[in-house]
């Protein structure tokens, strides 16, 4: 049945301004797509539509996380005094080895999916591990929850513990098993994504195989790019024929030949920026992770000025926080630090940060992240009554929620038109 929701509605068609409908209405079709928005119910209503009034609450698009490691959930908030490469070797890889045990994986992955739900993230680009069975489990948990995800079985066969290494043949076989199951399920909310961890962890043969899988099945790609100066130097030593880090991926068909999201991009050289622009590579900006592992500050304003598509990522567990709302705040703060050095590049506005978290990031999943007609209805209903104690304007209320609110004020979550109930933490 078609439904019409009434609330104070916010979304961003464009990055520079909010669409605000005070006591507005959004009509949603039976298959979960937006049919229209209006301030007058008569413009949307028909006799079969059910009207649901959320009163004085805020209605916004749900959050999208473009870069997160589900298998690092346990390490969230741990080892924040290490740089990237020692952090990987001493904490991250030993934790990921544990996911050979599917019982352990289920316990952690259930908590991970639950916390994404808690913070209002309805779609995510997710790294699992090299283990096929635990990756399959994670995909199943997303399906059961009704949330959207691109889930990557991580490819790596060098510079990592034996418990994480796979042969090229094992990696391909594992992926094809997951791809076949996904095709049989006809589930477009949860799909595989080709996931070479990064250049240093994959031999040329492994990278070639990843590129072939992406091309053969027309699957998206995710990985890491230009996060840390030591990492970049390492890539240069391994891929001597490549002109830059991005070119190394490009040579293997992993840089925009199919839809591609690259996390971090903190130290992007001009040649690499031009290649990203040419290939339409999406940048996942992960501000807390970049701070925590001492990588630096990504130049997001420059990327936007160059026409690159950018979204936000929590990057658990380099990042310590799963809330994309707080990633908005940190992204604005990072841009203000850049502004201190380059006043000709303005810092991010609130509408721009909101657009990064909703429509811009959501576009990697399809028509997601806005309330424009034809978009999938991913939404959050927010009761900010405890923050709205002194007659704030609607935009001030939204800003206060982004900066001061938390998951307790999210009273309803929708993904593709369906209310998403709290996922189970324990197997029943």
């Amino acid at each position: 049945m078609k439904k019409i929701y009434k609330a104070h509605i916010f979304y961003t068609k464009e990055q520079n301004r909010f669409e605000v409908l005070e006591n507005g209405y959004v009509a949603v079709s039976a298959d979960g797509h937006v049919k229209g928005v209006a301030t007058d119910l008569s413009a949307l209503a028909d006799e079969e539509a059910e009207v649901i009034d959320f009163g004085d609450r805020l209605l916004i698009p749900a959050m999208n996380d473009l870069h997160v490691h589900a298998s690092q959930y346990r390490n969230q908030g741990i080892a924040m005094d290490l740089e990237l490469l020692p952090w990987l070797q001493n904490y991250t890889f030993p934790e990921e080895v544990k996911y050979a045990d599917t019982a352990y994986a289920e316990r952690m992955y259930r908590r991970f999916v639950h916390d994404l739900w808690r913070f209002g993230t309805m779609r995510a680009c997710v790294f699992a591990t090299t283990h096929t069975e635990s990756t399959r489990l994670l995909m199943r948990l997303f399906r059961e929850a009704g949330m959207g995800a691109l889930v990557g079985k991580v490819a790596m066969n060098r510079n990592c513990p034996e418990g994480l290494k796979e042969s090229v043949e094992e990696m391909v076989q594992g992926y094809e098993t997951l791809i076949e199951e996904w095709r049989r399920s006809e589930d477009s909310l949860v799909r595989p994504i080709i996931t070479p961890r990064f250049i240093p962890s994959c031999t040329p043969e492994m990278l070639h195989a990843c590129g072939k899988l992406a091309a053969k099945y027309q699957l998206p790609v995710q990985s890491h790019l230009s996060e840390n100066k030591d990492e970049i130097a390492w890539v240069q030593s391994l891929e001597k024929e490549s002109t830059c880090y991005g070119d190394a991926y490009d040579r293997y068909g992993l840089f925009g030949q199919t839809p591609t999201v690259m996390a971090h991009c903190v130290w992007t050289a001009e040649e690499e920026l031009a290649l990203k622009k040419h290939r339409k590579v999406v940048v996942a900006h992960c501000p807390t992770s970049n701070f925590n592992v001492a990588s630096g500050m990504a130049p997001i304003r420059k990327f936007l000025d160059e026409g690159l598509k950018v979204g936000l990522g929590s990057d658990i567990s380099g990042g310590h926080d799963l809330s994309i709302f707080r990633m908005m705040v940190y992204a604005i703060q990072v841009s203000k630090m850049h502004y201190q050095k380059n006043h000709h590049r303005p810092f991010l506005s609130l509408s721009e940060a909101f657009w990064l978290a909703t429509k811009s990031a959501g576009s990697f999943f399809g028509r997601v992240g806005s309330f424009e007609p034809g978009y999938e209805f991913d939404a959050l209903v927010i009761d900010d009554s405890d923050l709205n104690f002194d007659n704030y304007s609607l935009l001030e209320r939204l800003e206060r929620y982004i900066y001061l609110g938390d998951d307790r004020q999210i009273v309803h979550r929708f993904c593709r038109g369906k209310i998403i109930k709290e996922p189970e933490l324990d197997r029943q």
Side-chain angles (χ1 to χ4, degrees), residues 250-266:
D250 192 53
R251 287 157 50 84
Y252 298 108
L254 296 166
F255 208 66
Q257 289 82 358
T258 60
T260 301
V261 58
M262 287 284 167
H264 307 303
C265 305
V266 174

Side-chain angles (χ1 to χ4, degrees), residues 150-185:
L150 295 170
V151 178
K153 168 183 158 61
V154 176
M156 54 197 304
N157 65 343
R158 66 176 173 182
N159 297 317
C160 64
E162 287 300 320
L164 293 177
K165 285 182 181 177
E166 277 193 309
S167 69
V168 173
E169 294 75 18
E170 288 170 329
M171 184 276 293
V172 171
Q173 182 179 8
Y175 256 109
E176 291 194 326
T177 298
L178 297 173
I179 291 165
E180 179 60 27
E181 290 183 6
W182 160 62
R183 285 180 155 185
R184 288 201 307 268
S185 73

